[in-house]
Amino acid sequence: MKDHAQELKKAARRSSRADKAAEAERDVLAKIAEMHGSDRIMAERVHAVIAATAPALAPKLWYGMPAYALDGKIVCFFQSAAKFKARYATLGFSDQAKLDEGTMWAAGFALTEVTAEVEARIAALVKQAVS
């Protein structure tokens, strides 16, 4: 058992950064594929918008949710409605996001549908968050 653990550690060290990034993206896409109905549709659109708007953000799983990190720190995430039995999905932003606007600003947005208008708003928020 000890040998197996050492083998896994060595393999992990040998993996390139690009391999790890590709695996993290596959994990995110697999998590999105597991979602049902409108959650999956919205997560797919959110993922596509974030990837197109901020390619510097690296997809990764964060507490079992699709998330996007800059320099290893989570900037934003998608929380499906089903995860917490809520009536809407959430696009959330961490304190790493540069959304500061005066002394109070939104850090989470409810999503019930991702329309072209919503996609444009997400793109603007993500662009601001990483600026």
Side-chain angles (χ1 to χ4, degrees):
M1 189 66 147
K2 220 179 211 183
D3 293 338
H4 181 64
Q6 288 175 343
E7 290 170 4
L8 291 175
K9 284 182 184 180
K10 285 179 186 176
R13 278 187 237 128
R14 282 192 300 250
S15 294
S16 73
R17 190 175 295 215
D19 291 342
K20 289 178 184 177
E23 184 178 344
E25 182 159 18
R26 281 192 301 272
D27 291 344
V28 166
L29 293 173
K31 182 58 75 173
I32 290 170
E34 289 174 8
M35 294 177 189
H36 299 285
S38 64
D39 279 345
R40 187 183 73 252
I41 293 166
M42 288 188 291
E44 289 170 346
R45 293 304 314 140
V46 167
H47 178 78
V49 170
I50 291 172
T53 303
L57 290 179
K60 64 190 287 182
L61 290 180
W62 184 63
Y63 295 103
M65 295 178 283
Y68 305 86
L70 184 62
D71 299 326
K73 296 181 181 175
I74 299 299
V75 174
C76 59
F77 60 91
F78 177 85
Q79 180 180 300
S80 71
K83 183 164 181 74
F84 294 105
K85 298 180 179 138
R87 65 184 181 95
Y88 52 81
T90 304
L91 175 63
F93 291 88
S94 75
D95 61 336
Q96 299 297 312
K98 298 173 184 162
L99 297 177
D100 304 33
E101 193 175 290
T103 58
M104 185 174 141
W105 57 90
F109 297 85
L111 294 171
T112 57
E113 184 181 7
V114 178
T115 62
E117 183 181 328
V118 171
E119 285 183 9
R121 178 78 169 127
I122 291 169
L125 285 166
V126 169
K127 189 179 259 187
Q128 181 181 349
V130 297
S131 65

